[in-house]
Amino acid sequence: MRITVLYDNNVVREKLHPAHGFSVLVENKKFSLLFDTGWSGPILLENARTLGKDLKQVRFIFLSHQHWDHIGGLPDVLKEIQREVIFIVPRSFTKGFKRELSHYGEVMEADSSVFEFAPGFFSTGEMDSDIGIKEQALFIKGKKDVLIVGCSHPDVYRMINLVGKVDILMGGFHGFERIELLGDVVGERIFPCHCTVKKDEILDMYTEKSQKCGAGLEVEI
Ligand SMILES: [Fe+2]
Ligand SMILES: [Fe+2]
């Protein structure tokens, strides 16, 4: 399995565009999954092209929460894919948005419990947050247990605890302050991406375990 950051506030490879937002491509032998779509479709598609990623292979689109920097690229992505996909979205997304998605494929709605939508691929279920927006995270159980988060508005520590300890944590941790808690619940690698406020502090505290995130980051599992 390969996990590639397509869109992030930073880049870790040349010729890619940094932009506020987040998107990750997960490829395994059977299918590809797109986690969030960044804010700008053209930037997402161009970064994907530069990285040699064909989004036409995407079978699942997993949307963490209804913020523009995570779903804005969706219309361009759907135009690129040109065939039906399976969406995994929080149940709390607006009815109009879910109806629109249903024109492009099946819509699976995450309620408040963990569920498996493909072998080894789980939604944590949607969780409440203090900004009134619900959010789900992607949990992949395989050789390594991986948790990919969008902005972690519900608190990244709470989100990890829904699935127990993980080997790899990647995504936006937003304003999460208690970074000393991460060491016990993340076994191998922490990638603080996108909106994480304490990026530098995490990289300093976990010199062995953490790694700079940005568009172009590839993790082979
Ligand atoms: Fe965000
Ligand atoms: Fe957000």
Side-chain angles (χ1 to χ4, degrees):
M1 186 172 71
R2 180 176 290 236
I3 300 172
T4 307
V5 178
L6 300 179
Y7 196 113
D8 189 77
N9 303 37
N10 297 301
V11 294
V12 295
R13 263 178 68 165
E14 279 176 16
K15 297 189 179 131
L16 296 170
H17 296 285
H20 181 78
F22 194 53
S23 179
V24 171
L25 185 69
V26 180
E27 301 165 283
N28 71 14
K29 280 191 192 112
K30 296 205 174 114
F31 58 80
S32 295
L33 174 149
L34 188 66
F35 176 99
D36 289 349
T37 66
W39 185 83
S40 155
I43 291 179
L44 177 64
L45 296 184
E46 201 180 325
N47 280 354
R49 227 169 281 133
T50 305
L51 289 163
K53 301 297 179 190
D54 180 8
L55 295 186
K56 289 193 175 68
Q57 303 304 320
V58 167
R59 192 160 136 229
F60 293 95
I61 297 182
F62 186 103
L63 300 174
S64 64
H65 65 301
Q66 206 171 344
H67 271 165
W68 279 104
D69 52 332
H70 296 259
I71 61 170
L74 190 57
D76 288 306
V77 166
L78 293 173
K79 231 182 271 162
E80 174 81 6
I81 295 177
Q82 295 274 357
R83 62 177 173 81
E84 292 214 341
V85 292
I86 299 169
F87 298 97
I88 300 100
V89 304
R91 177 156 291 170
S92 56
F93 270 21
T94 58
K95 280 206 177 73
F97 188 28
K98 287 187 284 191
R99 196 180 318 117
E100 193 60 34
L101 294 181
S102 70
H103 299 142
Y104 297 91
E106 184 186 344
V107 181
M108 295 174 86
E109 298 184 31
D111 60 20
S112 55
S113 46
V114 177
F115 79 96
E116 189 172 23
F117 57 88
F121 282 70
F122 298 80
S123 160
T124 57
E126 60 174 9
M127 286 181 85
D128 263 323
S129 67
D130 53 11
I131 58 164
I133 201 153
K134 292 187 178 180
E135 181 171 341
Q136 62 172 344
L138 173 67
F139 177 57
I140 306 166
K141 201 162 178 48
K143 249 195 272 174
K144 304 278 180 204
D145 290 348
V146 182
L147 187 68
I148 303 178
V149 293
C151 281
S152 309
H153 295 297
D155 182 297
V156 69
Y157 190 66
R158 275 181 68 209
M159 297 179 97
I160 298 167
N161 277 308
L162 274 181
V163 294
K165 205 175 160 192
V166 298
D167 298 308
I168 294 168
L169 173 68
M170 175 188 282
F173 313 153
H174 206 65
F176 184 69
E177 299 267 348
R178 299 167 300 155
I179 59 170
E180 67 283 356
L181 297 178
L182 294 178
D184 285 339
V185 289
V186 183
E188 290 185 17
R189 276 243 153 320
I190 303 169
F191 299 97
C193 312
H194 177 46
C195 58
T196 307
V197 173
K198 298 221 169 240
K199 268 179 206 165
D200 291 341
E201 290 86 341
I202 290 171
L203 294 171
D204 280 348
M205 183 177 284
Y206 301 104
T207 43
E208 306 272 288
K209 225 187 231 189
S210 65
Q211 195 177 320
K212 190 172 185 274
C213 179
L217 172 72
E218 291 196 275
V219 182
E220 191 83 51
I221 293 168

